Amino acid sequence: CANCFKHQNLERPWAERRGVVVSSILKQKPDVVGIQEASQGWLKSGSKKIDLSQFEDLRNRLRSSGTPYEVTNKHRNNCVNSTTPSSCRYQDRGASKGTKVFFNTDTVKLISQGSQKLPGCSGCNERYVAWAVLEQKSTGQQFFFAETHIEYGGSYYNLRKAQTEAMMAEVDRRRPARIPAF
């Protein structure tokens, strides 16, 4: 995540890690990549907030390298004002917190997209499955891509099972004509 490195004992903040993340993605040249824990909150520079989220920063840095990556859902929060959770009046924007699908607009075309909140527990982070139907431009073949980050830890076996089942149900519900799924 972007601003939680001290809390989670990570050695380096996002500002120091992002170059390596961008380089790793560009080196692999994926048409589509699933991202987990890409914070939708504002980035910080010292104690100052920057009006940019971690996933937006990642998208911008991938683009500035000359590869036109886009994110399937640009909304940060499921609120009327989707850029901030402060005074949130709920509106489903399809926001999926830190679970995002990035795609290269040179090689694939976005057909449809969405997300679904997964079952949770008291004290757990909200978990989502983010999905997209995409078309490979070179072949015209459509495919379905889903990304999630289920709850971790040995004591959450039943929750992880429920989240996996909910994710698979969403894939079955959203995948048209049984196109290939990833």
Side-chain angles (χ1 to χ4, degrees):
C1 77
N3 300 316
C4 62
F5 63 97
K6 289 181 183 176
H7 172 69
Q8 295 184 355
N9 296 319
L10 296 175
E11 293 180 17
R12 299 180 337 179
W14 172 244
E16 294 176 18
R17 294 180 286 125
R18 61 187 174 200
V20 174
V21 173
V22 169
S23 176
S24 294
I25 292 171
L26 293 174
K27 185 177 179 182
Q28 297 299 317
K29 300 177 187 172
D31 291 337
V32 183
V33 61
I35 304 294
Q36 299 174 3
E37 297 187 20
S39 173
Q40 78 275 19
W42 287 294
L43 292 177
K44 294 178 183 173
S45 178
S47 62
K48 181 182 175 191
K49 287 182 183 176
I50 302 171
D51 190 20
L52 192 67
S53 70
Q54 186 180 22
F55 76 84
E56 292 163 337
D57 185 50
L58 177 58
R59 181 201 58 210
N60 293 352
R61 289 174 184 283
L62 288 167
R63 284 179 178 172
S64 70
S65 72
T67 306
Y69 278 95
E70 189 53 75
V71 62
T72 56
N73 188 295
K74 299 175 182 112
H75 294 287
R76 294 182 194 172
N77 300 286
N78 287 313
C79 302
V80 171
N81 179 358
S82 74
T83 60
T84 179
S86 299
S87 303
C88 179
R89 286 185 324 185
Y90 183 81
Q91 181 176 349
D92 185 1
R93 301 270 192 177
S96 53
K97 291 200 112 177
T99 303
K100 298 293 182 183
V101 177
F102 282 64
F103 63 99
N104 182 333
T105 61
D106 278 347
T107 58
V108 294
K109 175 182 165 186
L110 179 64
I111 305 300
S112 62
Q113 64 184 348
S115 69
Q116 178 64 44
K117 187 175 176 181
L118 298 174
C121 69
S122 177
C124 294
N125 287 323
E126 290 181 338
R127 304 293 179 161
Y128 287 82
V129 57
W131 59 267
V133 175
L134 300 144
E135 181 179 298
Q136 191 72 41
K137 288 183 175 181
S138 63
T139 64
Q141 174 69 46
Q142 289 188 1
F143 62 96
F144 185 92
F145 186 92
E147 167 64 7
T148 193
H149 182 0
I150 61 175
E151 196 63 44
Y152 60 90
S155 63
Y156 292 109
Y157 173 80
N158 290 333
L159 178 58
R160 288 195 313 272
K161 184 175 185 238
Q163 289 175 338
T164 301
E165 289 169 350
M167 177 195 66
M168 294 308 298
E170 186 69 3
V171 170
D172 286 344
R173 195 170 27 257
R174 301 295 182 172
R175 184 171 61 143
R178 295 310 201 219
I179 60 177
F182 300 89

